Amino acid sequence: MFEGSSVQTRALDEGFVEIRFDRAGDAINKLDDSTVGEFRAVVAQIAADPSVRGVLVTSAKSVFIVGADITEFGAKFSQPLDVLVADIARSNEVFVAFEDLAVPSVVAINGYALGGGLELTLAGAMRVMASTAQVGVPEVKLGLFPGFGGTVRLARVAGLATAMDWVASGQPASAEAALAAGVVDALSAPDTLRDAALALLRRCAEGAVDWRARQQRKREVVAQPAQASVEQVEAALERVRRTAPKHQPAAAMAVEMMGRAAGCERADALRLEAETFGRVAQTQAAAALVQTFLNEQALKKLQKCHIGSAKPPARAAVLGAGIMGGGIAYTSAVAGTPVRLKDIAAGPLDLGMTEAARQLARRVKSGRMTQAQADALLATIQPQLDEAGFDAVDIVVEAIVENLELKRRVLAATEAALRPDALIASNTSSLCIADIAAPLARPGNVVGMHFFNPVPSMPLVEIVRGPRSSDAAVATAVAYAAAMRKTPIVVRDGAGFLVNRVLTPYFNAFLELVAEGQDFERIDRAMEAFGWPMGPAFLNDVVGMDTGSHVGDVITAGHPRRMRPIERNAVKLMVQHGRLGQKSGAGFYRHARDAGGRLTKLADPLAHALVAGLRPDAAVTASDAAIVERLMLPMIGEAIEALAENVVGSAAEVDMAMLLGVGFPAYLGGPLKYADWLGAGALLARFDAHAVHGPGYSAPARLRAMAAAGERFHAN
């Protein structure tokens, strides 16, 4: 029989053959080019053997097949469109050949069958699924849709409406849901899955099940009359318009294509899928989202390297309550690390405990825990006004106000109450760890742990390595963040670290545009249309004008070569008039609670009247494109400079930090993936064209070198 590195076959009794997927040296199965090639050879071998009566398909892994090998996408998708489409069609031939075998085939689905894995099962005559397994076509999350015939076969097996919903949403389905949808034919307990699939194959071979009719339906037209499919497609497109992320066209393209393919026989439908897949694979969103997936894998490997043998702290303390401190304490407690929450006054303590209780109440309401569990978890957060018990904690997270001298005084007093091996982690968003740790007795135990607000829902934590931070301290902080289910990225010390440093030129560019006479609401609309979750004016309101102004001043002063203070500063003007944003009820916008208690943003003529005093007499209205370019260029430039200065070690870390920390538009993939999409030469020309606007628009030296060499930040 056949013995490949990913696919093997063996003869069974009764003339049956088992195709077993077992990728050598890996814990999972993938449909990479090599595996598809081996599957092609196996199918051809079976088709040529008249003694074969049926085919059983299994996996030797704990999962069936998790999809394609995404590391191969970069080279594939960069081919000319006609070559890419031909390549897709060629890969699809093996699934057609498997589907057209003259004998029945039954696939045993264990663990996960996702993307190409599910597509392969759909080419089989019948499917038996373990009751604990999941199936799905999640390609839309990579800016794609199924390309191995999945859109065609899923529509013919489960119906057009179900197929469009599965493809457009990308959500996985349980065994029960898959059975109800008609995607699988039977369920089995995991330990009897193979036997159940073999029994069904036997019934097919004996003629007890009409498997030929099932296969024939997959070759025919799906939807007649045409009006029925038109209505289904319109309904699906309406759902996509409501739910699909901005600038990610895969779901809409898939639904439209599936509507047209429904009126075609299999060959024409597969051709439509291949042609449309080729186009979607070469969109900016697909390039960015695929890169983001690869970046995520790279970060997981880096995280393991940073942690090494370190263990997360068993006991923690948080200095400074309030919303931020309460959020950190709650997140620590949920991760299983009991925490002492200290402040100097009862009011902030009450606020911090209220925040933790509110988060737990949300979990109870959503059914993720019982009230008894929530009460027990809240009891692991100990509010206190002194340092009792601090001699037993492994780490203290400082989350007090952003004032260097105050942080130094508080941490010096706290250090005296700690064990010599206990860590101190500052949640500072802009101050240098070197400055904070300078007067302490054990600066090697000091790191930064910069959480983002709101802590419970924001996935990023910047772990800041000060110049004297020990490797052990960094490793423990990374382990602590990972235990909280956060994504820790280790960054070098410096004003603003990475995320806030890269974001500050964006805010400064916004303030310059406002000072030049651009309407801040117009700027917000332009940036939100470009893909940001909120524009810079609204983001200032959310952050808090006083906080944002102070942090911006610290970071701008820390990077004088590329940043300069804004003379006619609208944010400082708002602070002078007590307009601090959401927390005061007014900033660039007015903020009020609606009938449901949700905070709503309202236009405020008073804000416009204040800002009008900053404008020059002859302001020129900029186009939306010009606004976007003015704000994005200095951010990209600062990201390039941060990488060149080794604030982090890779473009993957820069881009993931900006995606996770500030909601950088997903379809851009991060500032450096966006730079790759534009191309170093074209980006350099844009910088040079805007150089008149100040040092933030000076092209980084690294970009000039890359443009000359034709280089990219990401290999894919």
Side-chain angles (χ1 to χ4, degrees):
M1 302 301 283
F2 187 91
E3 283 290 331
S5 61
S6 295
V7 185
Q8 301 87 41
T9 63
R10 62 172 174 164
L12 306 177
D13 294 337
E14 306 174 65
F16 297 148
V17 171
E18 180 174 3
I19 301 175
R20 182 179 63 182
F21 287 88
D22 189 8
R23 183 183 175 95
D26 206 335
I28 57 175
N29 291 318
K30 298 178 184 177
L31 281 180
D32 58 3
D33 285 345
S34 174
T35 302
V36 172
E38 291 181 7
F39 186 50
R40 184 190 307 274
V42 163
V43 170
Q45 188 179 76
I46 291 171
D49 188 346
S51 68
V52 175
R53 296 179 59 239
V55 179
L56 175 69
V57 184
T58 65
S59 165
K61 308 293 188 186
S62 60
V63 298
F64 184 70
I65 298 173
V66 298
D69 185 348
I70 296 171
T71 63
E72 295 180 340
F73 285 2
K76 281 182 180 291
F77 296 172
S78 62
Q79 300 176 107
L81 180 59
D82 59 337
V83 177
L84 174 58
V85 171
D87 184 52
I88 297 163
R90 200 160 39 247
S91 295
N92 231 318
E93 290 170 358
V94 64
F95 298 95
V96 173
F98 177 52
E99 190 169 54
D100 287 349
L101 286 173
V103 296
S105 56
V106 176
V107 185
I109 303 173
N110 63 311
Y112 295 97
L114 301 174
L118 178 58
E119 292 182 84
L120 186 149
T121 76
L122 291 169
M126 302 194 75
R127 290 153 293 283
V128 181
M129 184 174 176
S131 57
T132 55
Q134 288 189 335
V135 296
V137 278
E139 288 91 339
V140 71
K141 297 176 183 178
L142 296 175
L144 303 167
F145 53 75
F148 283 144
T151 65
V152 176
R153 294 186 177 94
L154 191 58
R156 284 154 170 76
V157 169
L160 182 60
T162 296
M164 289 189 296
D165 180 58
W166 280 37
V167 170
S169 71
Q171 295 301 312
S174 66
E176 293 79 7
L179 181 65
V183 174
V184 299
D185 302 289
L187 304 184
S188 168
D191 57 349
T192 60
L193 174 64
R194 186 178 180 279
D195 290 340
L198 191 56
L200 179 57
L201 179 61
R202 187 175 296 111
R203 293 179 64 220
C204 289
E206 292 171 350
V209 176
D210 189 359
W211 62 273
R212 288 184 176 83
R214 290 170 175 269
Q215 294 294 63
Q216 181 58 33
R217 282 200 296 273
K218 287 187 277 180
R219 303 182 185 102
E220 297 171 348
V221 170
V222 177
Q224 291 292 352
Q227 185 59 34
S229 64
V230 169
E231 292 171 356
Q232 290 175 330
V233 169
E234 284 301 319
L237 282 174
E238 180 56 34
R239 288 194 296 273
V240 167
R241 283 190 283 268
R242 291 197 311 268
T243 61
K246 290 179 181 177
H247 307 288
Q248 295 185 31
M253 290 176 70
V255 167
E256 291 172 347
M257 178 270 295
M258 291 171 74
R260 287 184 286 130
C264 301
E265 293 184 353
R266 184 184 65 184
D268 288 337
L270 290 174
R271 178 182 52 77
L272 274 174
E273 182 190 84
E275 291 172 351
T276 313
F277 183 91
R279 292 200 305 275
V280 80
Q282 296 187 336
T283 60
Q284 182 175 12
L289 294 171
V290 167
Q291 185 67 61
T292 297
F293 177 88
L294 297 174
N295 290 349
E296 288 171 343
Q297 305 312 302
L299 256 61
K300 289 176 182 177
K301 292 178 182 178
L302 273 174
Q303 179 178 304
K304 290 179 180 178
C305 291
H306 285 305
I307 292 175
S309 60
K311 302 295 182 185
R315 296 165 298 277
V318 175
L319 288 180
I323 298 297
M324 179 63 80
I328 296 171
Y330 159 82
T331 306
S332 178
V334 168
T337 305
V339 59
R340 294 178 175 274
L341 181 60
K342 183 203 170 186
D343 209 296
I344 59 173
L349 275 180
D350 290 342
L351 185 60
M353 293 303 293
T354 298
E355 172 64 12
R358 185 178 72 85
Q359 294 293 339
L360 288 168
R362 292 179 62 183
R363 284 179 167 253
V364 173
K365 186 176 180 179
S366 67
R368 287 180 289 170
M369 65 172 51
T370 65
Q371 186 60 55
Q373 290 171 325
D375 292 342
L377 199 149
L378 187 63
T380 67
I381 304 174
Q382 174 63 51
Q384 56 191 71
L385 296 171
D386 56 23
E387 290 161 347
F390 271 46
D391 57 346
V393 303
D394 303 305
I395 188 170
V396 173
V397 181
E398 169 269 306
I400 64 175
V401 296
E402 197 77 343
N403 179 287
L404 178 60
E405 292 307 317
L406 181 59
K407 286 181 186 291
R408 283 175 164 178
R409 288 200 305 272
V410 170
L411 290 179
T414 301
E415 186 183 39
L418 300 176
R419 298 193 320 261
D421 62 338
L423 302 188
I424 292 175
S426 176
N427 182 50
T428 177
S429 57
S430 61
L431 300 172
C432 291
I433 298 302
D435 294 336
I436 292 172
L440 299 184
R442 298 183 291 274
N445 288 359
V446 183
V447 296
M449 282 190 79
H450 178 211
F451 292 85
F452 290 76
N453 201 28
V455 176
S457 59
M458 292 297 285
L460 179 67
V461 179
E462 288 181 306
I463 307 297
V464 187
R465 182 192 292 274
R468 300 174 69 181
S469 301
S470 70
D471 290 343
V474 172
T476 300
V478 172
Y480 187 31
M484 294 179 179
R485 296 182 177 83
K486 301 296 184 184
T487 299
I489 293 181
V490 178
V491 301
R492 202 183 73 179
D493 196 17
F497 318 126
L498 177 61
V499 173
N500 282 346
R501 171 182 171 175
V502 173
L503 189 61
T504 295
Y506 173 85
F507 278 134
N508 287 349
F510 160 71
L511 292 171
E512 287 175 345
L513 281 174
V514 172
E516 291 171 13
Q518 305 306 318
D519 174 49
F520 59 79
E521 287 195 50
R522 166 85 183 283
I523 296 171
D524 273 6
R525 288 194 297 270
M527 299 313 294
E528 288 164 11
F530 186 64
W532 284 89
M534 61 183 75
F538 186 31
L539 183 55
N540 268 292
D541 276 13
V542 171
V543 170
M545 299 288 186
D546 49 346
T547 301
S549 179
H550 174 69
V551 169
D553 287 348
V554 171
I555 296 172
T556 297
H559 301 281
R561 183 173 63 86
R562 292 190 57 82
M563 302 182 204
R564 63 184 181 188
I566 309 302
E567 294 181 4
R568 290 172 292 145
N569 190 314
V571 168
K572 291 187 181 300
L573 180 65
M574 294 290 175
V575 173
Q576 291 169 10
H577 287 79
R579 301 175 68 92
L580 306 182
Q582 285 184 338
K583 60 185 175 183
S584 70
F588 285 107
Y589 299 91
R590 187 161 54 87
H591 304 277
R593 300 280 178 184
D594 63 15
R598 291 171 298 188
L599 207 56
T600 59
K601 176 186 73 173
L602 304 168
D604 191 343
L606 292 177
H608 285 278
L610 278 175
V611 171
L614 301 175
R615 293 172 183 160
D617 294 333
V620 178
T621 301
S623 67
D624 285 0
I627 288 171
V628 168
E629 195 157 289
R630 282 284 299 276
L631 267 65
M632 295 300 294
L633 279 178
M635 174 183 278
I636 296 170
E638 203 60 39
I640 295 171
E641 290 284 350
L643 181 63
E645 294 171 15
N646 295 313
V647 174
V648 289
S650 66
E653 292 165 280
V654 172
D655 283 348
M656 290 305 299
M658 298 307 294
L659 288 166
L660 298 176
V662 296
F664 196 93
Y667 82 99
L668 299 178
L672 300 184
K673 185 62 180 179
Y674 182 37
D676 282 345
W677 179 263
L678 295 173
L683 183 58
L684 177 60
R686 295 190 187 197
F687 271 107
D688 288 344
H690 285 276
V692 66
H693 294 300
Y697 298 88
S698 176
R702 180 162 181 171
L703 180 64
R704 289 195 181 278
M706 291 176 69
E711 294 176 345
R712 298 164 52 87
F713 291 102
H714 295 278
N716 293 295

